Amino acid sequence: MSNLRLGVMGGTFDPIHFGHLIAAEAVAKSYELDSVIFVPTGNSWQKNSLASAQHRLAMTQLAISYFPDFQVSSVDVERTGDTYTVDTLRDLKGQYPTAQFFFITGADSLAGIGTWKDSEELWNLAHFVGVTRPGHKLEVPKSPAGAVTLLEIPALAISSSEIRAKVVSGESLEGLVPIKVLEYMDKHNLYRGNND
Ligand code: NAP
């Protein structure tokens, strides 16, 4: 299908929460996207996540099941080695050769885009949208004119680290995480200090 406008929501999603889902909806609306593809990272190049890639992928699939315009891709989880956005976008371009891509992620992460693998190629593969929490400083990374946009998302007051801390202290996650994700976390005993 030609002229498809596809959001590519990249993140660790450890775990996915309503902030991510609302941010994706806001960007989809602003950029008139046909769909948003959530792409959980495989092995992040700078850190170890607390739940396995398979668990994070499964939680992402459950979370997006509420949203007909969202989909999930396992390209980063299936690729061996560290996750680099240039590989994510090359793989998706292989699947959707004529689509226009909008890569969406946290503005903190995007600030380092100039140091990402094959950064010069990235500018040709997608437009970049950095979403940020209220109160955080918005800084456009060094990039070609018009290549990056930043957007403040009030719902991103929620964070994955806050959710993990609440699991440890036994606090309620109501309103932070979709119920199916909550059930999955409970079933697999995630974030209680004994994850695989
Ligand atoms: P991360 O450690 O999970 O998150 C960093 C910050 O950004 C956190 O505050 C996080 O909030 C927020 N965030 C992450 N993804 C988000 C999203 N899609 N929407 C809204 N907020 C988001 O993320 P990361 O490991 O830096 O990775 C983010 C994306 O950038 C991934 O797709 C990754 O592959 C890519 N990346 C690529 C390279 C490279 O190619 N060299 C380097 C770094 C990152 P929460 O904790 O609440 O999610």
Side-chain angles (χ1 to χ4, degrees):
M1 216 173 134
S2 61
N3 301 325
L4 259 188
R5 293 168 67 84
L6 295 179
V8 178
M9 184 78 168
T12 310
F13 303 131
D14 196 21
I16 190 160
H17 52 68
F18 280 122
H20 298 128
L21 296 161
I22 292 166
E25 274 198 317
V27 178
K29 195 170 171 210
S30 265
Y31 287 86
E32 300 182 332
L33 304 181
D34 295 295
S35 178
V36 178
I37 306 172
F38 282 66
V39 191
T41 56
N43 300 305
S44 284
W45 70 298
Q46 286 177 322
K47 61 169 187 169
N48 293 320
S49 55
L50 302 173
S52 69
Q54 291 304 337
H55 280 320
R56 292 183 288 104
L57 176 66
M59 289 188 282
T60 306
Q61 279 161 337
L62 291 170
I64 65 107
S65 65
Y66 298 89
F67 297 82
D69 293 335
F70 292 172
Q71 12 174 349
V72 178
S73 169
S74 58
V75 284
D76 286 351
V77 171
E78 281 165 17
R79 195 182 317 103
T80 52
D82 290 346
T83 294
Y84 296 108
T85 296
V86 72
D87 297 325
T88 313
L89 291 170
R90 283 175 187 151
D91 286 355
L92 291 175
K93 197 171 171 53
Q95 292 172 19
Y96 303 95
T98 59
Q100 198 179 346
F101 291 108
F102 298 77
F103 186 83
I104 312 159
T105 197
D108 294 2
S109 304
L110 210 55
I113 192 168
T115 66
W116 291 8
K117 184 183 164 202
D118 297 336
S119 63
E120 288 307 315
E121 186 183 340
L122 286 172
W123 310 127
N124 297 323
L125 287 169
H127 177 77
F128 290 82
V129 184
V131 291
T132 192
R133 316 193 140 87
H136 280 240
K137 210 167 139 206
L138 287 167
E139 250 173 47
V140 182
K142 199 162 171 258
S143 51
V148 177
T149 316
L150 298 177
L151 204 60
E152 187 176 283
I153 308 286
L156 276 177
I158 303 171
S159 74
S160 298
S161 56
E162 173 198 355
I163 289 165
R164 295 193 302 266
K166 281 184 186 289
V167 172
V168 171
S169 61
E171 287 173 68
S172 166
L173 298 183
E174 205 185 322
L176 303 178
V177 170
I179 186 76
K180 288 184 197 173
V181 174
L182 201 52
E183 287 167 359
Y184 186 95
M185 283 164 55
D186 277 346
K187 182 174 170 199
H188 295 275
N189 218 16
L190 296 184
Y191 309 115
R192 296 203 176 112
N194 56 347
N195 303 306
D196 58 14

